[in-house]
Amino acid sequence: MPDQPDPLRGQRGPSGPAGGEDGEGVALSSPTGRAVLVASTAGSAVAFLDAQVVSVALPSIGRDLDADLGVLQWTVNAYTLALAALVLLGGALGDRWGRRRVFVGGVAWFAVTSAACALAPTAEVLVAARALQGVGAALLTPMALALLQTVLRREDRARAIGLWSGATTLATVAAPVVGGALVALDWRLVFALNLPVAALAVALAQRRVPDTRDEAARGHRLDLAGAALGAAALAALTWALTRAGESGADAAVLGAVAAAAALAVGFVVRERRTAFPVVPPSLFADRTFTAANGFTLLVYAALSGMQLLVVLQLQVSLGWSALQTGLATLPSSLLLGFLSGRAGALGQRLGVRTMLTAGAVTAAAGLVLLSGASPGDAYATSVLPGVLVMGLGFAAFVAPLTAGVLAAAPGELAGAASGVNNAVARTAGLLAVAALPAVVGLSGSGYADPALLTPAYRTGMLVCAALVAAGALLAALALPRARAGAAPQ
């Protein structure tokens, strides 16, 4: 991979570049370095915990609030839509106003809206609270990685990102299990799970983490028009895909798709013409950045679709409890948590392309194996093999993918680059959850009928496997080879 610019260039904090004491960033082994890692991990964990736990709770939410599949989709999508639409703006805000400041504000807002979700009296209120929760996630998510990239010294960043990937995964490993246990008491308790973790992140960041910002960007105008166009395009497309599952391609759906296309074109035109775009077009001049984001779109669409389908299949068709469902997927999360750090280090030696291609092929095989889970099947023979193989695959590429995306961007655009990659991942999940039920012929209360759900589940899992396999092909063809004798970025 070609040499990348120094990610610290242009990053001025309170005591030298990136807040470092020596002008080169702080060491990961220092008290400040450890504080940055723990705060970033805790902040990211609340967003990851929420996604995992809410998925396990969906059947219980549906029963308690008398919600059909469309409402359950919006319980997921309201959050993801706000996150995907605003995460780019969150990255830009951090670059301008200070990454620690935006990170702390996002985590605090996430905690407040998590409490609102826990207290929601109706499905409509829950969906609205989930949308507000996504706003907080849009602020904190890109800043967690941007802090690692701009505060730590360059030689520690790949290891820190690997540790961050592993630690946040370990934090979410317990989420399906603990969430399943909490659902047995009351699904509302799953949202309260975010509060103590958020409190830790805020307290540690405020006391120990130096702030960083792009000094050149502080006087720039925020691209609010671009952010609005992007959000509107995503909202229109999500609504169209969700409605299509219920009513087919009627006039309203077609009109929404046309509106989404027009808004998307307007967004692209705006970003190319404005002086201070929320998505700097220059980021996509780098081949690795563009290809890695294409890979992200494919594999995270598959991951989100798989999570929705597996939770429904195990609880509805196989008759398992929420706790049993959480335990069923635990081995995959454990593999991801324990192997992510090693995969990040291995990616430094073998290159991003090798890790992404091999990992995606393995994950696709796991999804195919998992597609066979049917009523009456035993866990050890129908679920565990697919869970293990899928976990190995995702563990191989998650950390190298993140490190590759950040390394491909110049340091002064660290927040924007992290925001773009997060937006791509969340957009992929958003569209998958909106579209997949319609693709497999599942709508209304059909998710509660095993006879309808099982064939839809099998088809959907194979679709997810095909998406991941397409990601492997893209990585193999589009990502550059690592240069001999050079550590891949």
Side-chain angles (χ1 to χ4, degrees), residues 451-468:
L452 297 176
L453 177 60
T454 297
Y457 163 80
R458 290 173 180 165
T459 301
M461 292 296 287
L462 293 177
V463 169
C464 292
L467 288 172
V468 178

Side-chain angles (χ1 to χ4, degrees), residues 296-306 425 428-429 431-433 436 464 467:
T296 299
L297 183 70
L298 293 167
V299 299
Y300 277 89
L303 177 61
S304 296
M306 178 276 297
L431 299 180
V433 171
L436 196 56
C464 292
L467 288 172

Side-chain angles (χ1 to χ4, degrees), residues 223-231 267 270-271 278:
D223 184 17
L224 297 179
L229 285 168
F267 173 76
R270 166 72 184 183
E271 297 310 280
V278 70

Side-chain angles (χ1 to χ4, degrees), residues 11 47 62 92 99 229 264 284 295 336 346 353 396 437 462:
Q11 302 300 328
R99 299 181 179 102
L229 285 168
F284 293 93
F295 179 92
L336 186 56
L346 189 60
R353 184 175 80 161
L462 293 177

Side-chain angles (χ1 to χ4, degrees), residues 41-485:
T41 298
S44 299
V46 295
F48 297 161
L49 282 166
D50 193 81
Q52 294 288 331
V53 173
V54 171
S55 294
V56 174
L58 285 177
S60 295
I61 292 172
R63 288 190 298 269
D64 189 39
L65 299 182
D66 193 26
D68 62 16
L69 181 60
V71 173
L72 295 184
Q73 286 175 274
W74 277 111
T75 301
V76 175
N77 281 344
Y79 170 85
T80 313
L81 176 60
L83 173 55
L86 299 177
V87 73
L88 297 169
L89 188 59
L93 285 171
D95 286 343
R96 288 163 172 77
W97 293 353
R99 299 181 179 102
R100 184 192 64 187
R101 179 184 300 179
V102 173
F103 174 78
V104 168
V107 175
W109 180 254
F110 193 94
V112 170
T113 51
S114 292
C117 290
L119 298 172
T122 66
E124 291 76 16
V125 173
L126 176 61
V127 169
R130 287 281 286 162
L132 293 174
Q133 194 182 35
V135 175
L139 297 176
L140 75 91
T141 301
M143 291 304 97
L145 280 174
L147 284 173
L148 294 179
Q149 188 75 359
T150 57
V151 173
L152 298 177
R153 61 186 184 181
R154 182 168 189 168
E155 58 266 35
D156 285 341
R157 290 171 201 159
R159 180 168 176 262
I161 290 171
L163 290 172
W164 172 88
S165 298
T168 51
T169 301
L170 285 175
T172 58
V173 161
V177 179
V178 175
L182 291 175
V183 167
L185 301 173
D186 190 334
W187 61 263
R188 299 174 187 277
L189 295 176
V190 303
F191 292 104
L193 193 63
N194 299 324
L195 302 183
V197 184
L200 171 64
V202 169
L204 192 58
Q206 284 285 76
R207 294 178 182 177
R208 301 300 300 272
V209 176
D211 209 353
T212 68
R213 61 178 57 88
D214 177 10
E215 295 292 346
R218 295 185 68 183
H220 295 174
R221 295 187 304 274
L222 288 173
D223 184 17
L224 297 179
L229 285 168
L234 278 178
L237 183 57
T238 303
W239 184 88
L241 292 173
T242 305
R243 180 181 171 89
E246 302 292 332
S247 61
D250 59 15
V253 168
L254 294 177
V257 170
L263 289 164
V265 170
F267 173 76
V268 173
V269 171
R270 166 72 184 183
E271 297 310 280
R272 291 177 64 88
R273 292 182 177 179
T274 187
F276 310 114
V278 70
V279 180
S282 60
L283 283 173
F284 293 93
D286 186 279
R287 174 182 170 186
T288 298
F289 185 86
T290 301
N293 277 286
F295 179 92
T296 299
L297 183 70
L298 293 167
V299 299
Y300 277 89
L303 177 61
S304 296
M306 178 276 297
Q307 288 175 331
L308 174 67
L309 292 171
V310 167
V311 165
L312 293 176
Q313 178 71 356
L314 295 186
Q315 293 190 48
V316 175
S317 298
L318 276 67
W320 296 359
S321 68
L323 178 57
Q324 289 173 317
T325 299
L327 288 169
T329 57
L330 183 60
S332 179
S333 298
L334 285 171
L335 285 171
L336 186 56
F338 284 123
L339 297 179
S340 287
R342 294 178 176 85
L346 189 60
Q348 285 288 100
R349 297 198 300 271
L350 300 182
V352 172
R353 184 175 80 161
T354 298
M355 298 300 293
L356 266 56
T357 302
V361 168
T362 305
L367 290 169
V368 172
L369 289 173
L370 200 53
S371 69
S374 302
D377 284 352
Y379 172 71
T381 57
S382 66
V383 177
L384 182 59
V387 166
L388 290 173
V389 175
M390 181 182 67
L392 285 172
F394 277 95
F397 69 68
V398 168
L401 172 61
T402 303
V405 167
L406 289 179
E412 65 270 18
L413 295 177
S418 180
V420 168
N421 191 241
N422 274 285
V424 170
R426 308 313 167 188
T427 299
L430 174 70
L431 299 180
V433 171
L436 196 56
V439 170
V440 301
L442 198 63
S443 63
S445 60
Y447 76 92
D449 184 352
L452 297 176
L453 177 60
T454 297
Y457 163 80
R458 290 173 180 165
T459 301
M461 292 296 287
L462 293 177
V463 169
C464 292
L467 288 172
V468 178
L473 182 62
L474 175 64
L477 296 178
L479 287 173
R481 293 180 181 272
R483 292 185 305 163

